[in-house]
Amino acid sequence: MIMERLRATRRLLNYTPKSLFASRSHPNSSEQSICRSASGFAHWGRYYEHQKRRFGGTVWAPLGVLGKASRIQCRYFGSVAETIQRDPSFSKLNSDDISYFKGILGEKNVIQDEDRLAFANTDWMRKYKGSSKLLLLPRSTEEVSRVLKYCNSRRLAVVPQGGNTGLVGGSVPVFDEVIINMSSMNNIISFDKVSGILVCEAGCILENLVSFLDNQGFIMPLDLGAKGSCQIGGNVSTNAGGLRLVRYGSLHGNVLGIEAVLANGDVLDMLGTLRKDNTGYDLKHLFIGSEGSLGIVTKVSILSPPKLSSVNVAFLACKDYISCQKLLLEAKRRLGEILSAFEFLDNESLDLVLNHLEGVRNPLPPSMHNFYVLIETTGSNESYDKETLEAFLLHSMEGGLISDGVLAQDINQASSFWRIREGVPEALMKAGAVYKYDFSLPVEKMYNLVEEMRIKLGNSAKVIGYGHLGDGNLHLNVSTPQYDDMILAQIEPFVYEWTSKHRGSISAEHGLGLMKANKIFYSKSHRTVQLMASIKKLMDPNGILNPYKVLPHSMICDGSSVQT
Ligand code: FAD
Ligand code: MLT
Ligand code: ZN
């Protein structure tokens, strides 16, 4: 046993840690060459081609019962089957509407092409499919304002859409809502090198902002696996968490200002660039995480930290979950300010990635470990960081918290470690049907839910657990060859009740979207949800913005007609 550990220790220390450059794009990915400049996606056509390449090269086919354009009921697999009726207070699109939009946006930004609509109607998981007949591509705040003003007066429901990488069915229509896609608003407006404050339009793709800032010697405080497609407006609207939250905190702290257009077309200019501003209610926070239900975010100002030169990534194995927890505590204590990511995945997640993603290999010799942890440090002093990390690893190894591990020697190795962690959602999609959950839970209880789910489901499904351990965020996923209502009935409401009992959140970072709009009470009191519904009604009296999402629709559509 001791010999084994010593050998493992040597393997850790034999790799000379090198400082790594921050970018972690997949080395063989076509994204790299495509997404280099923040204004690289001037036309939705190119954006659409790019998305097609990312998500499998074909336009997604209609999904059986999900694809009936004329249906009035919606059946989706993201959650327990529920019937949703199209709200009859919404108007149906007519030819005058189309002419009006063409007048505002120009012919080529009013999309009725079936292929392009099929793509925009379907979410990343291919679980949710709407039947919108119209996609609009505004190029300025003024255009967004005119479009919304018109939709509000006509009671045409709309779905704001960014990169369409959302995982809860929030970014696609439920019925025939007009899709307002923000990809043409992709300009960087300003960057202040002294303060590190970036101001940009909402349609900028996250990875393009990362590249832009990298050239300036700065980084985005946000990073996630979907960075090649998701947009900063979508990130803000979902309050996306991601891989670096443990270090840089949430967007509620990093977003300094927002410009948003309300349902009636009014433009709210809250695009401040101040770190401190206590003048009245800070309304920008209402738009961070409201998933397009209160307004369309058109511009964002965001605080970006300076890029630091020394980055190290370790991929470690732990024998049990308690060791992962203890390792987290040790990492916080011993790595302190240089810790920039603490991610975990279980053995089942790693298996899935190795079996379904090409070119991914296990950096550790084949051996049964139950858990894997990816630790990243980012600092400014290469030798200090290296020594600190090595001391931490040795200490953890000697204490039995780590059973094996490797430290990346260069950027390619670091990228390959990250590829394993970031590749889990993609591998799940390749494996078949996915029931995806995203919980905040006390770290010590978190993995019990995965284990209980395994007992419940037995051999009928694979249950996998991974996520942002450093933030107390578990991604529980159930993978089966096909969707099956019997499986779903075993998962829900069990997982929600379990989470509620442990005072967790049923949405740590993905939002509620359509999937969990009616589940909000598992995490929020009735009185709180009532106040949310009042705010929604005040800001969007006709309920045209992303209907059926976020809040139970019954609390929004009380039949009252509101004149604006
Ligand atoms: P969309 O999916 O287009 O929209 C998401 C929601 O925001 C919808 O409700 C939409 O109506 C609204 N919206 C979009 N743009 C605007 C706008 N300009 N104004 C108002 N509302 C708008 N999420 C995390 O939090 N952490 C992760 O680590 C993470 N990793 C992911 C990895 C993969 C592989 C994938 C596919 C997804 C991941 N996600 C993650 C989920 C998703 O990428 C994020 O929620 C992302 O922020 C969504 O951005 P988007 O531009 O794609 O928005
Ligand atoms: C992740 O952390 O990988 C994302 O949130 C996506 C997912 O949960 O599948
Ligand atoms: Zn996540």
Side-chain angles (χ1 to χ4, degrees), residues 139-155:
R139 289 157 300 174
S140 65
T141 303
E142 167 70 15
E143 287 184 357
V144 174
S145 164
R146 291 180 69 188
V147 165
L148 280 184
K149 188 172 184 190
Y150 179 81
C151 290
N152 195 45
S153 68
R154 275 273 297 127
R155 281 185 175 246

Side-chain angles (χ1 to χ4, degrees), residues 167 224 241-243 343 421 438 466-468 473 475 509-510:
L167 299 170
L224 50 145
L243 307 160
E343 297 287 311
R421 166 59 189 90
D438 163 42
Y466 59 97
H468 316 288
N473 182 182
H475 293 314
E509 58 172 10
H510 295 166

